[in-house]
Amino acid sequence: MPDEEGHPAVEEILLGPVLSALADPLRRRVVRTLAAEPEGTARTCSSFGLPVSKATLTHHFRVLREAGLISQVSRGNSRMATLRRADLERRFPGLLDLVSAEPEPPQAAT
Amino acid sequence: MPDEEGHPAVEEILLGPVLSALADPLRRRVVRTLAAEPEGTARTCSSFGLPVSKATLTHHFRVLREAGLISQVSRGNSRMATLRRADLERRFPGLLDLVSAEPEPPQAAT
């Protein structure tokens, strides 16, 4: 079962929710950005500079978290997001590489 | 440019539309089924036994075609669908393997 924060266990990470999460260009940008950082990097939601409202930002990170792509922990007033790199590589080997290889779109196109 | 049937050229196949197409479980079932067939197998849309109306079936196959996952040709009164296996492998190596590896869900769950 997912924990109380909505993080699925590794064996609960399913292809359907992962692909649905990655179907959105802004969510792919978050994953691509985290994948380019050193292992274990934790970032606040606002640090990604997504051009959306706070409510939409919260929604996007919830989708990523519930699909199993990221984990989030509260730190002070912020929630820090970390890529579940090893879990994803175990469940869907190569998928993160495909997302990382996607060219960054022009800002206006996202 | 996509041809008059809406097939993108191989270099026009983009990750976003491909992931959006694959986010749907019925569309993944079509791709998984075709991927399990011999190279070049062409099947009618109705042969997949999807539990949807004809209009919805047409919609799903259009999404797959326009994303670049399948090609469709008319043959008599039917449209035959073929997986663009080589094109997909060239653009997104390993992606079809991930879709193929997904367990077939119980019929009721799709």
Side-chain angles (χ1 to χ4, degrees):
Chain A
M1 272 180 47
D3 69 12
E4 69 275 14
E5 300 268 0
H7 297 100
V10 59
E11 69 275 12
E12 292 170 329
I13 301 177
L14 298 176
L15 188 60
V18 164
L19 294 178
S20 294
L22 292 175
D24 182 89
L26 292 182
R27 293 195 293 260
R28 281 202 305 285
R29 197 206 288 185
V30 170
V31 170
R32 203 162 51 233
T33 302
L34 285 172
E37 302 264 10
E39 173 69 30
T41 296
R43 290 179 55 156
T44 63
C45 302
S46 58
S47 74
F48 294 89
L50 302 191
V52 295
S53 69
K54 190 167 187 315
T56 302
L57 195 65
T58 301
H59 163 75
H60 282 314
F61 278 84
R62 185 176 65 241
V63 171
L64 288 168
R65 181 177 75 243
E66 291 181 353
L69 285 155
I70 63 168
S71 57
Q72 284 185 288
V73 291
S74 293
R75 199 173 297 171
N77 290 324
S78 296
R79 304 202 74 188
M80 305 296 286
T82 309
L83 186 63
R84 295 181 66 174
R85 197 186 300 259
D87 292 344
L88 291 164
E89 198 54 34
R90 179 167 143 206
R91 294 287 286 143
F92 307 115
L95 183 62
L96 283 179
D97 290 340
L98 294 178
V99 174
S100 294
E102 186 183 26
E104 194 72 38
Q107 295 290 315
T110 53
Chain B
M1 271 179 47
D3 68 12
E4 69 275 16
E5 300 269 0
H7 297 100
V10 58
E11 69 274 14
E12 292 170 330
I13 301 177
L14 298 176
L15 189 60
V18 164
L19 294 177
S20 294
L22 293 175
D24 182 88
L26 292 182
R27 293 196 292 260
R28 281 202 304 286
R29 198 205 291 185
V30 170
V31 169
R32 202 163 53 233
T33 302
L34 286 172
E37 302 265 10
E39 172 71 29
T41 295
R43 290 179 54 156
T44 63
C45 302
S46 58
S47 74
F48 294 88
L50 303 191
V52 295
S53 69
K54 190 167 187 316
T56 302
L57 195 65
T58 301
H59 163 75
H60 282 313
F61 278 84
R62 186 177 63 241
V63 171
L64 289 168
R65 182 177 73 243
E66 292 181 351
L69 286 156
I70 63 167
S71 57
Q72 284 186 288
V73 292
S74 293
R75 200 174 295 172
N77 290 324
S78 297
R79 304 203 74 189
M80 306 295 287
T82 309
L83 186 64
R84 296 181 66 175
R85 197 187 299 257
D87 291 345
L88 291 163
E89 197 54 34
R90 180 167 143 204
R91 295 286 286 142
F92 308 116
L95 182 60
L96 282 179
D97 290 341
L98 294 177
V99 174
S100 294
E102 185 184 26
E104 195 71 38
Q107 295 290 315
T110 54

